[in-house]
Structure formats: C-alpha cells, structure tokens
Amino acid sequence: MCGIIGYCGQKPAVPIVLDALKRLEYRGYDSAGIASLSDGELLIRKDAGKVDDVIRKLNLASLPGNVAIGHTRWATHGAVTQSNAHPHTDCGGRVAVVHNGIVENNRQLRQGLIAGGHKFTSETDTEVIPHLVEDELRNGCSLEQAVLNIAPKLEGSYAFLVISLGDPGKIAGTRRNNPLIVGINGPDYYVSSDALAFSQYTNQVMSLEDNEVVVLTREGVEFFDARGCKLVKQARKLDHSWAESSKDSYQHFMLKEIMDQTQVLDQIVRQDEKTFTETALDILRARQVIITACGSSRYAALVGRYLFSKVGKKFCDVVMASEFGYFADSVDKNTVVIAVSQSGETADIIDGVKAAKDAGAQVISIINRPNSILADLSHQVIYLNCGAEIAVAATKTFLSQLALFYLLSFSMINDFNEASAKLISLNSEISKVLDCNKSELITLSQKLKDKNDFYYIARGINFAIASEGALKLKEVSYVHAEGMPAGELKHGTLALIEPGTPVVVICPADYTFNETLSNAMEAKSRGAYIIGVSDKEGDLYDSWVRLPQVDELLYPMVAVVPLQLLAYYVAINRGCDPDKPRNLAKSVTVK
Ligand code: AGP
C-alpha cells in the first residue's frame, strides 16, 4: 500500500516524479503529493484525490527542482484529507517525508515529541518521522545519519524517503518489511517502492535489505548497514517484462490484462523442469503441506489443492494467510509451506511465512513481482513470469497461478512436458472463450447492472472459480456476490434467492454436471436468473456463457476468463473505474 518515489540527478525532478506517481497509483490512489528542493526552498504540494486530478488541480508540473520525492496514498491512519496526504513535514517545514507502511508505536513517539515542543498537523502515523529527523538534524547529523539514528525507534513496517533544507541535494531512505529499490542511469538516480516507477529510464537496479539506509546525491548512491558501515552493492538488470506498463489501445488495464491471457501461458511454461521436479519431490516427501495465501491467490491455491490430490495423490491444506498464525502450532521441519502471492508483499503472508520459518518449515513461494520481501524469505521461489499486472483486480496472474499449480502437480508424476504442451494448447481455447462470449457478456452486464446480489455456484475443482468470479464482481462493481460449492446453496443461502436473482452456474460437461445442474434447478424453482457457464447447453439457462471442451482439470482456466469479463463490463455499466476500485490497493502491506 502507498507508493513512494524519489529522484535526484541532472534532469528536472518533478516531471519524473509525477510520471512515477502515475505508475505507482495501483498501490493507493486516495491522495497524492510531492516535495521538491529548489534554490534554497522546500516546495510541498499535496491533496486528496487521484494522481491526475491532484497534478491538474495544484499545477504540479510547474514545480522546479532537481531533487524531489512523491507519494500516492492508501489511507491507514487518518482520513483522506489534504492534511493527511504526504509528504509530511517537521515544525519548520524544512524536512519532508514520504512513507509506505505503518509506524506502530506512533502514539508513544508522538506524545514524546509533543512533550518536547513539536507541533503536529496531521492524524497520520508518518508525521513522527520528520519530527524525529528534525531533532537529529538540529544536533548536527547528516540526513543519512539522522535516518540511521531514528530507524531503530520506529516499530512496524515501513519504507520512507526524506529530503531536507538542512542537508540539501540528497534523498535518504530506509526500509523494514516494505520494498524499496534503487535505479541508476548514468548521473540519474531513482528510488521507489517498485522498479516499475522508473523502469522507462533504466533497467539497472539495486535492492535494499531490511534496515539498510540509502542516500542519493547528484554524485552517486551510497548504502549503509544499520550500524552505519558502508556497503558495496552491484547493480542488477531488471527483467524487461517488468518494465512494460502501458494500456496499449485498451481503455483499462483490467481489460488489457484479461486479453493478455490469450498469450500468457506461453510465458508461464518457460520454467526450469528440474526445479519443478525437485520442488514436486519436496512436496511429496513432506509430512504435511500447507498452502497460504489471500484473496484471488487463495482461490488459485484451492484449485492447486485439488490438483495435488487428484494428480499427485498428495493431500494438503489451504489456510487463509490472515488466519495462518492460529494454525502455526503444528508447523515443524517436516512441513512444506507454499506461499502464493502475486505481489510478494502481502503483510498477512509475510508474517505467517516468518513464523513457519522460525518453526523450521521449508518455504516455497509462487510470486509474480520480482525483488519482493516474500522472495527474500523463501527457500525456493517460482515466478509466474507473466509481466506486471497493474489493475487492482487479479486476472492474468490468477490464470498464471492456476497454470503453475497444474505444472507442479504433473511434475509430481514426472509429466512436466506433457503438462506444458497442454497449457500451450489452451491459449487458443482462451481466445475462443473471449471471442464467442464477448457480445453475450456485454448484453448480460447491461441487463444485470442494477442487481444487488449475485450468487456463483460450482462443484469440485470449479468451486474456487465460483468464488473468484464473485470476488471479481465485488471488487470492481461494488455489487454483493458470493461464491460457494453448489451443494451448499440449499444449506442456507437458498433463502436469499428471489425472482430475478442472478445465479452464475459453472457446470462444465464433466462428472459434476448433473449434480450442479440439480442445484441450479433448485435456485431456478425459486425464480433465480440462471447464467450457465458450460460447454453443454442446458434447458434451464436464461443466459449461456459458452466454454470450449477441454480436459477436466483445465476447465478452471477457461471458465474464469468470461467471469472476469462479466465483472469488467458490469463495472463499466455501473460507472465504476475497474482499475482503481474504491478502498482497495494492489499490494496489501498492512495487516
Ligand atoms: C485480487 O483481485 C485482489 N486484488 C486481492 O484479493 C489479492 O488477490 C490479495 O490481496 C492477495 O494479494 P497477493 O496475491 O499480492 O498476495
């Protein structure tokens, strides 16, 4: 949550920082702000609102300076207001800070600072940082020394950047459990929560470990460990697929990313077979296997559990990451924990993985984003390789997670190559699903746009797809939706079905078809509007979303795609911005 960016170099800083804020907006978009050092002045502009609106309203593009920091906010402490937007400053307006994360002991720190005469102007946890820096600078510290001195006083997780009139021409920053990455291009230096913010300028990057401090000046970049000793770091090359963040001709990233799914499986299968075989063996040998994840990643994990059981004959459990800590007692060195996370930043997962590691478990992660905290914590990382996903709602990364579980489960029976070939052949089926259903889905979304409740049902491996379809609709359209095993409907939820209630029935022509249809009939008898998602026509469908015929274990990958598109079109019809759903952010770095 929250995106931070800093630039220091030969070029005008503000256009670079503003451009970066647009690219970081997926991390939070309720407020934005910028601070720039120019001719002995610290210029600060910020407000509530989306990045483009704030830029326009405050005429930010006109700000001068060669050193600047910026922020996009997802509010945790304090309402969405101008005064709570970042950057935050010290008493004299000589220090500016942008921060991602939570300073958990901010109340105690604030009380101490107020007792010492500091004046606060916001409700945020962040504001303690510039005041702490102020005290250090007053004592004659350099900016980087100030950061080194105050970091141990901060509890919680954070990455922050600071600039000051007292030590101008530089940006200092540090991180703990939140990402911070440096980019270098000749005499130009960038630092951000995500390399995507500056990947159009450079692919040379350097990462910071927890508690390390970085300082950027026009002369170069320096790193220090927590004791202040200088560190030597080598730049690495950023994967080029991560540099791409354009919508092309699409109106929204969500639509582009749904459409990307016609090609994404080609990239996914580019994996090292040996790694898969070894990882599959580790899973098979483990006394217990626990998959932990949140949101869409958890639904992908539920499909994974089914595949492991069906193909590899290995039972495993899926535990919601925010609940994982409560099950940690049984974790030991004979446990394999598989953490599934698009971002690799989700705080609930990071916490659980740390606890599991402490208990001796082997941690295998499935991640999309490179250079993540989760990757650093894991014994083994498998990357999705599907490029940056910008829309808050997961689409192509969800499909990629399903594909990776498919590959892993077939690696358990030494069939990696056959599984890869099947995944590649699925590309054309996904194209077909999109082509043949597009106009039906547009019509359906217009028809159903004012409905308040949707139910999604399925059985077996497709149950998780019902849940994922419902989650997509909730996220981007703000419509109540529930996904459940079809057999569960009659155990309570059926009471909510009224004439016209939309029920999405995922019923491919497999062994679940007849039973799922019986449950759909129960809903239909109470007046439900049935949307059948199937390769087989059914008399009771009011609308039919056609699936191609594929292997039983591949149905989730073709069935989820039209459900994503349905959610997208309902959002458009309801006037919602599917890329930036209210109250949400792509990386959930708070618990
Ligand atoms: C998916 O559409 C959601 N944005 C959300 O549920 C997401 O899957 C969840 O927050 C987990 O994120 P992660 O995969 O980055 O850990």
Side-chain angles (χ1 to χ4, degrees), residues 457 459 486 505-508 512-524 530 532-534 536-541:
I457 59 169
R459 282 178 176 256
V505 183
I506 302 146
C507 50
T512 64
F513 182 78
N514 289 333
E515 283 185 338
T516 309
L517 233 56
S518 300
N519 301 130
M521 185 51 104
E522 290 152 16
K524 175 103 177 168
I530 304 292
V533 181
S534 183
K536 191 168 172 184
E537 197 166 6
D539 290 346
L540 81 168
Y541 307 156

mmCIF file of all heavy atoms in Angstrom, residues 457 459 486 505-508 512-524 530 532-534 536-541:
data_model
loop_
_atom_site.group_PDB
_atom_site.id
_atom_site.type_symbol
_atom_site.label_atom_id
_atom_site.label_comp_id
_atom_site.label_asym_id
_atom_site.label_seq_id
_atom_site.Cartn_x
_atom_site.Cartn_y
_atom_site.Cartn_z
ATOM 1 N N ILE A 457 -22.109 -20.559 -8.245
ATOM 2 C CA ILE A 457 -22.004 -21.919 -7.706
ATOM 3 C C ILE A 457 -21.261 -22.835 -8.680
ATOM 4 O O ILE A 457 -21.291 -22.648 -9.897
ATOM 5 C CB ILE A 457 -23.388 -22.518 -7.343
ATOM 6 C CG1 ILE A 457 -24.319 -22.570 -8.578
ATOM 7 C CG2 ILE A 457 -24.048 -21.732 -6.211
ATOM 8 C CD1 ILE A 457 -25.601 -23.388 -8.336
ATOM 9 N N ARG A 459 -19.006 -27.033 -8.488
ATOM 10 C CA ARG A 459 -18.571 -28.167 -7.660
ATOM 11 C C ARG A 459 -17.135 -28.540 -8.006
ATOM 12 O O ARG A 459 -16.620 -28.175 -9.057
ATOM 13 C CB ARG A 459 -19.469 -29.383 -7.902
ATOM 14 C CG ARG A 459 -20.804 -29.286 -7.196
ATOM 15 C CD ARG A 459 -21.677 -30.469 -7.508
ATOM 16 N NE ARG A 459 -22.915 -30.397 -6.744
ATOM 17 C CZ ARG A 459 -23.190 -31.136 -5.662
ATOM 18 N NH1 ARG A 459 -22.318 -32.021 -5.222
ATOM 19 N NH2 ARG A 459 -24.339 -30.991 -5.039
ATOM 20 N N ALA A 486 -21.848 -25.704 -5.059
ATOM 21 C CA ALA A 486 -23.261 -25.748 -5.466
ATOM 22 C C ALA A 486 -24.106 -26.503 -4.455
ATOM 23 O O ALA A 486 -25.248 -26.137 -4.177
ATOM 24 C CB ALA A 486 -23.364 -26.382 -6.849
ATOM 25 N N VAL A 505 -23.839 -20.307 -12.784
ATOM 26 C CA VAL A 505 -23.642 -21.746 -12.538
ATOM 27 C C VAL A 505 -22.495 -22.232 -13.424
ATOM 28 O O VAL A 505 -22.624 -22.258 -14.652
ATOM 29 C CB VAL A 505 -24.932 -22.522 -12.876
ATOM 30 C CG1 VAL A 505 -24.756 -23.998 -12.563
ATOM 31 C CG2 VAL A 505 -26.125 -21.942 -12.124
ATOM 32 N N ILE A 506 -21.380 -22.597 -12.797
ATOM 33 C CA ILE A 506 -20.233 -23.072 -13.591
ATOM 34 C C ILE A 506 -20.353 -24.593 -13.641
ATOM 35 O O ILE A 506 -20.162 -25.278 -12.630
ATOM 36 C CB ILE A 506 -18.915 -22.612 -12.945
ATOM 37 C CG1 ILE A 506 -18.927 -21.088 -12.861
ATOM 38 C CG2 ILE A 506 -17.708 -23.080 -13.755
ATOM 39 C CD1 ILE A 506 -18.231 -20.550 -11.668
ATOM 40 N N CYS A 507 -20.717 -25.075 -14.807
ATOM 41 C CA CYS A 507 -21.048 -26.506 -14.906
ATOM 42 C C CYS A 507 -20.516 -27.095 -16.204
ATOM 43 O O CYS A 507 -21.281 -27.421 -17.111
ATOM 44 C CB CYS A 507 -22.556 -26.704 -14.807
ATOM 45 S SG CYS A 507 -23.501 -25.645 -15.924
ATOM 46 N N PRO A 508 -19.183 -27.243 -16.303
ATOM 47 C CA PRO A 508 -18.647 -27.896 -17.498
ATOM 48 C C PRO A 508 -19.179 -29.322 -17.601
ATOM 49 O O PRO A 508 -19.638 -29.894 -16.598
ATOM 50 C CB PRO A 508 -17.126 -27.879 -17.267
ATOM 51 C CG PRO A 508 -16.927 -27.564 -15.836
ATOM 52 C CD PRO A 508 -18.152 -26.881 -15.325
ATOM 53 N N THR A 512 -19.333 -33.457 -12.648
ATOM 54 C CA THR A 512 -20.122 -32.627 -11.719
ATOM 55 C C THR A 512 -21.370 -32.054 -12.389
ATOM 56 O O THR A 512 -22.198 -31.427 -11.733
ATOM 57 C CB THR A 512 -19.291 -31.445 -11.171
ATOM 58 O OG1 THR A 512 -18.945 -30.571 -12.262
ATOM 59 C CG2 THR A 512 -18.026 -31.898 -10.477
ATOM 60 N N PHE A 513 -21.471 -32.222 -13.710
ATOM 61 C CA PHE A 513 -22.505 -31.521 -14.481
ATOM 62 C C PHE A 513 -23.919 -31.752 -13.931
ATOM 63 O O PHE A 513 -24.642 -30.816 -13.614
ATOM 64 C CB PHE A 513 -22.418 -31.945 -15.959
ATOM 65 C CG PHE A 513 -23.413 -31.241 -16.835
ATOM 66 C CD1 PHE A 513 -23.190 -29.928 -17.252
ATOM 67 C CD2 PHE A 513 -24.580 -31.882 -17.254
ATOM 68 C CE1 PHE A 513 -24.113 -29.270 -18.061
ATOM 69 C CE2 PHE A 513 -25.494 -31.221 -18.064
ATOM 70 C CZ PHE A 513 -25.259 -29.920 -18.465
ATOM 71 N N ASN A 514 -24.294 -33.027 -13.801
ATOM 72 C CA ASN A 514 -25.690 -33.322 -13.417
ATOM 73 C C ASN A 514 -26.017 -32.803 -12.022
ATOM 74 O O ASN A 514 -27.069 -32.203 -11.797
ATOM 75 C CB ASN A 514 -25.965 -34.826 -13.498
ATOM 76 C CG ASN A 514 -26.014 -35.269 -14.953
ATOM 77 O OD1 ASN A 514 -26.342 -34.459 -15.835
ATOM 78 N ND2 ASN A 514 -25.658 -36.512 -15.204
ATOM 79 N N GLU A 515 -25.089 -33.030 -11.087
ATOM 80 C CA GLU A 515 -25.356 -32.602 -9.706
ATOM 81 C C GLU A 515 -25.419 -31.073 -9.609
ATOM 82 O O GLU A 515 -26.259 -30.513 -8.909
ATOM 83 C CB GLU A 515 -24.267 -33.125 -8.772
ATOM 84 C CG GLU A 515 -24.451 -34.596 -8.467
ATOM 85 C CD GLU A 515 -23.465 -35.112 -7.446
ATOM 86 O OE1 GLU A 515 -22.399 -34.479 -7.278
ATOM 87 O OE2 GLU A 515 -23.766 -36.143 -6.818
ATOM 88 N N THR A 516 -24.520 -30.403 -10.336
ATOM 89 C CA THR A 516 -24.516 -28.932 -10.290
ATOM 90 C C THR A 516 -25.822 -28.405 -10.881
ATOM 91 O O THR A 516 -26.418 -27.456 -10.366
ATOM 92 C CB THR A 516 -23.303 -28.369 -11.072
ATOM 93 O OG1 THR A 516 -22.132 -29.018 -10.602
ATOM 94 C CG2 THR A 516 -23.154 -26.870 -10.883
ATOM 95 N N LEU A 517 -26.236 -29.050 -11.963
ATOM 96 C CA LEU A 517 -27.473 -28.607 -12.605
ATOM 97 C C LEU A 517 -28.690 -28.791 -11.690
ATOM 98 O O LEU A 517 -29.603 -27.968 -11.684
ATOM 99 C CB LEU A 517 -27.672 -29.378 -13.913
ATOM 100 C CG LEU A 517 -27.904 -28.498 -15.128
ATOM 101 C CD1 LEU A 517 -26.791 -27.493 -15.320
ATOM 102 C CD2 LEU A 517 -28.033 -29.343 -16.382
ATOM 103 N N SER A 518 -28.670 -29.869 -10.893
ATOM 104 C CA SER A 518 -29.771 -30.078 -9.931
ATOM 105 C C SER A 518 -29.825 -28.906 -8.964
ATOM 106 O O SER A 518 -30.897 -28.403 -8.631
ATOM 107 C CB SER A 518 -29.553 -31.352 -9.107
ATOM 108 O OG SER A 518 -29.485 -32.423 -9.948
ATOM 109 N N ASN A 519 -28.656 -28.477 -8.503
ATOM 110 C CA ASN A 519 -28.631 -27.344 -7.570
ATOM 111 C C ASN A 519 -29.088 -26.060 -8.256
ATOM 112 O O ASN A 519 -29.787 -25.241 -7.655
ATOM 113 C CB ASN A 519 -27.220 -27.154 -6.987
ATOM 114 C CG ASN A 519 -26.725 -28.383 -6.259
ATOM 115 O OD1 ASN A 519 -25.615 -28.856 -6.492
ATOM 116 N ND2 ASN A 519 -27.556 -28.943 -5.393
ATOM 117 N N ALA A 520 -28.708 -25.920 -9.527
ATOM 118 C CA ALA A 520 -29.150 -24.739 -10.274
ATOM 119 C C ALA A 520 -30.672 -24.757 -10.407
ATOM 120 O O ALA A 520 -31.337 -23.719 -10.305
ATOM 121 C CB ALA A 520 -28.495 -24.718 -11.657
ATOM 122 N N MET A 521 -31.223 -25.975 -10.591
ATOM 123 C CA MET A 521 -32.674 -26.121 -10.729
ATOM 124 C C MET A 521 -33.383 -25.679 -9.452
ATOM 125 O O MET A 521 -34.447 -25.042 -9.505
ATOM 126 C CB MET A 521 -32.985 -27.590 -11.056
ATOM 127 C CG MET A 521 -34.434 -27.834 -11.338
ATOM 128 S SD MET A 521 -35.071 -26.684 -12.579
ATOM 129 C CE MET A 521 -35.140 -27.714 -13.986
ATOM 130 N N GLU A 522 -32.770 -25.993 -8.300
ATOM 131 C CA GLU A 522 -33.364 -25.578 -7.025
ATOM 132 C C GLU A 522 -33.474 -24.053 -6.948
ATOM 133 O O GLU A 522 -34.455 -23.506 -6.450
ATOM 134 C CB GLU A 522 -32.520 -26.101 -5.847
ATOM 135 C CG GLU A 522 -32.599 -27.612 -5.653
ATOM 136 C CD GLU A 522 -31.345 -28.206 -5.003
ATOM 137 O OE1 GLU A 522 -30.532 -27.454 -4.434
ATOM 138 O OE2 GLU A 522 -31.190 -29.439 -5.080
ATOM 139 N N ALA A 523 -32.452 -23.391 -7.471
ATOM 140 C CA ALA A 523 -32.469 -21.916 -7.470
ATOM 141 C C ALA A 523 -33.490 -21.405 -8.489
ATOM 142 O O ALA A 523 -34.259 -20.473 -8.221
ATOM 143 C CB ALA A 523 -31.074 -21.381 -7.783
ATOM 144 N N LYS A 524 -33.485 -22.061 -9.654
ATOM 145 C CA LYS A 524 -34.410 -21.655 -10.732
ATOM 146 C C LYS A 524 -35.877 -21.776 -10.256
ATOM 147 O O LYS A 524 -36.716 -20.923 -10.558
ATOM 148 C CB LYS A 524 -34.174 -22.564 -11.944
ATOM 149 C CG LYS A 524 -35.128 -22.332 -13.085
ATOM 150 C CD LYS A 524 -34.476 -21.549 -14.182
ATOM 151 C CE LYS A 524 -35.399 -21.386 -15.355
ATOM 152 N NZ LYS A 524 -34.903 -20.406 -16.301
ATOM 153 N N ILE A 530 -30.711 -17.795 -14.231
ATOM 154 C CA ILE A 530 -29.552 -18.704 -14.295
ATOM 155 C C ILE A 530 -28.636 -18.358 -15.478
ATOM 156 O O ILE A 530 -29.072 -18.321 -16.629
ATOM 157 C CB ILE A 530 -30.017 -20.179 -14.438
ATOM 158 C CG1 ILE A 530 -30.964 -20.568 -13.288
ATOM 159 C CG2 ILE A 530 -28.818 -21.127 -14.519
ATOM 160 C CD1 ILE A 530 -30.344 -20.641 -11.906
ATOM 161 N N GLY A 532 -25.668 -19.981 -17.185
ATOM 162 C CA GLY A 532 -24.908 -21.224 -17.283
ATOM 163 C C GLY A 532 -23.559 -20.962 -17.932
ATOM 164 O O GLY A 532 -23.484 -20.351 -18.990
ATOM 165 N N VAL A 533 -22.474 -21.418 -17.270
ATOM 166 C CA VAL A 533 -21.117 -21.287 -17.838
ATOM 167 C C VAL A 533 -20.678 -22.714 -18.124
ATOM 168 O O VAL A 533 -20.281 -23.451 -17.220
ATOM 169 C CB VAL A 533 -20.175 -20.579 -16.833
ATOM 170 C CG1 VAL A 533 -18.780 -20.416 -17.431
ATOM 171 C CG2 VAL A 533 -20.756 -19.231 -16.420
ATOM 172 N N SER A 534 -20.788 -23.105 -19.388
ATOM 173 C CA SER A 534 -20.623 -24.524 -19.697
ATOM 174 C C SER A 534 -20.333 -24.740 -21.174
ATOM 175 O O SER A 534 -20.610 -23.884 -22.014
ATOM 176 C CB SER A 534 -21.912 -25.264 -19.337
ATOM 177 O OG SER A 534 -21.749 -26.648 -19.554
ATOM 178 N N LYS A 536 -21.828 -27.352 -22.370
ATOM 179 C CA LYS A 536 -23.016 -28.138 -22.712
ATOM 180 C C LYS A 536 -24.254 -27.289 -22.456
ATOM 181 O O LYS A 536 -24.389 -26.691 -21.374
ATOM 182 C CB LYS A 536 -23.045 -29.379 -21.819
ATOM 183 C CG LYS A 536 -24.042 -30.411 -22.209
ATOM 184 C CD LYS A 536 -23.740 -31.684 -21.422
ATOM 185 C CE LYS A 536 -24.825 -32.706 -21.620
ATOM 186 N NZ LYS A 536 -24.593 -33.892 -20.807
ATOM 187 N N GLU A 537 -25.113 -27.242 -23.437
ATOM 188 C CA GLU A 537 -26.326 -26.439 -23.302
ATOM 189 C C GLU A 537 -27.240 -27.053 -22.235
ATOM 190 O O GLU A 537 -27.241 -28.259 -22.029
ATOM 191 C CB GLU A 537 -27.066 -26.381 -24.648
ATOM 192 C CG GLU A 537 -28.068 -25.277 -24.691
ATOM 193 C CD GLU A 537 -28.560 -25.006 -26.114
ATOM 194 O OE1 GLU A 537 -28.194 -25.752 -27.030
ATOM 195 O OE2 GLU A 537 -29.316 -24.036 -26.281
ATOM 196 N N GLY A 538 -27.981 -26.226 -21.535
ATOM 197 C CA GLY A 538 -28.923 -26.732 -20.532
ATOM 198 C C GLY A 538 -30.238 -25.977 -20.676
ATOM 199 O O GLY A 538 -30.211 -24.758 -20.885
ATOM 200 N N ASP A 539 -31.353 -26.698 -20.545
ATOM 201 C CA ASP A 539 -32.670 -26.069 -20.733
ATOM 202 C C ASP A 539 -32.927 -24.939 -19.759
ATOM 203 O O ASP A 539 -33.673 -24.022 -20.031
ATOM 204 C CB ASP A 539 -33.795 -27.108 -20.496
ATOM 205 C CG ASP A 539 -33.800 -28.123 -21.606
ATOM 206 O OD1 ASP A 539 -33.141 -27.846 -22.625
ATOM 207 O OD2 ASP A 539 -34.438 -29.181 -21.433
ATOM 208 N N LEU A 540 -32.323 -25.073 -18.586
ATOM 209 C CA LEU A 540 -32.701 -24.113 -17.556
ATOM 210 C C LEU A 540 -31.892 -22.820 -17.594
ATOM 211 O O LEU A 540 -32.184 -21.905 -16.849
ATOM 212 C CB LEU A 540 -32.651 -24.747 -16.163
ATOM 213 C CG LEU A 540 -31.316 -24.882 -15.440
ATOM 214 C CD1 LEU A 540 -31.559 -25.259 -14.004
ATOM 215 C CD2 LEU A 540 -30.458 -25.884 -16.125
ATOM 216 N N TYR A 541 -30.889 -22.710 -18.460
ATOM 217 C CA TYR A 541 -30.126 -21.451 -18.518
ATOM 218 C C TYR A 541 -31.008 -20.322 -19.066
ATOM 219 O O TYR A 541 -31.672 -20.491 -20.079
ATOM 220 C CB TYR A 541 -28.924 -21.517 -19.469
ATOM 221 C CG TYR A 541 -27.944 -22.662 -19.277
ATOM 222 C CD1 TYR A 541 -27.154 -23.077 -20.358
ATOM 223 C CD2 TYR A 541 -27.773 -23.294 -18.050
ATOM 224 C CE1 TYR A 541 -26.236 -24.109 -20.217
ATOM 225 C CE2 TYR A 541 -26.855 -24.334 -17.913
ATOM 226 C CZ TYR A 541 -26.101 -24.735 -18.999
ATOM 227 O OH TYR A 541 -25.199 -25.751 -18.878
#
